[in-house]
Amino acid sequence: QVQLVESGGGSVHSGGSLRLSCAASGYSVSTHYMGWFRQPPGKELEGVAIIECGGSTTYADSVKGRFTISQDNAKNTLYLQMNSLKLEDTATYYCAAERCWAYGSSGSLAPRDYRNWGPGTQVTVSS
C-alpha cells in the first residue's frame, strides 16, 4: 500500500526558508513520478514542482528560482526546498506520487494525474 507523509511545514517570515520532506512507503520513488502541490486558503489545488520519471524537474512559474525539488532514492523521500518565501506561498502543501506512464505520462503538474496523496503540511508565511 502506497503511503506518503509530509513533514517540515511551519510558520516563517517573508524571505525565510523551509524544507519540506515527504516519506514514501509501499513503493519505490524511482518507479514513480512525484510532485508537490499546494492549496492556498480559499483557492484550488495547484501544482508546484514535480520530478518526472527519468529525473527531470518542472516548476510552476510562481516558484521558479525559489523552490527546488529533489529526491533521495535510498531514503525513498521527496524534498522541497523553499527559499525567499512570500506571503502568497501560504498554503497546505501536499506530496503526491503516481506510477510512471499510468496516465501515459512521465510526469505532470496536474493534480488529476495523481492517485496517491499525503495528508498535507501547513506552511504559513507572515510579514
Side-chain angles (χ1 to χ4, degrees):
Q1 181 179 356
V2 174
Q3 286 192 323
L4 302 167
V5 179
E6 303 94 341
S7 61
S11 297
V12 64
H13 289 298
S14 179
S17 298
L18 282 174
R19 188 176 83 152
L20 305 184
S21 299
C22 173
S25 61
Y27 73 100
S28 171
V29 297
S30 62
T31 61
H32 288 62
Y33 56 83
M34 299 189 70
W36 287 99
F37 298 80
R38 68 185 181 187
Q39 186 165 25
K43 297 185 178 181
E44 293 185 354
L45 190 64
E46 62 182 13
V48 175
I50 65 166
I51 292 184
E52 299 188 19
C53 305
S56 58
T57 58
T58 301
Y59 296 89
D61 288 343
S62 59
V63 306
K64 281 181 182 176
R66 300 188 298 122
F67 290 12
T68 302
I69 189 171
S70 62
Q71 68 183 33
D72 184 330
N73 289 354
K75 295 182 178 180
N76 234 30
T77 300
L78 182 74
Y79 301 99
L80 184 69
Q81 178 66 45
M82 304 186 295
N83 298 328
S84 303
L85 282 162
K86 303 177 180 180
L87 297 177
E88 53 265 40
D89 294 320
T90 294
T92 303
Y93 283 73
Y94 301 89
C95 69
E98 184 54 68
R99 181 174 294 276
C100 294
W101 306 106
Y103 290 97
S105 172
S106 63
S108 173
L109 269 173
R112 66 176 180 273
D113 290 335
Y114 294 79
R115 289 176 290 180
N116 305 295
W117 293 83
T121 186
Q122 178 66 36
V123 171
T124 301
V125 184
S126 61
S127 58

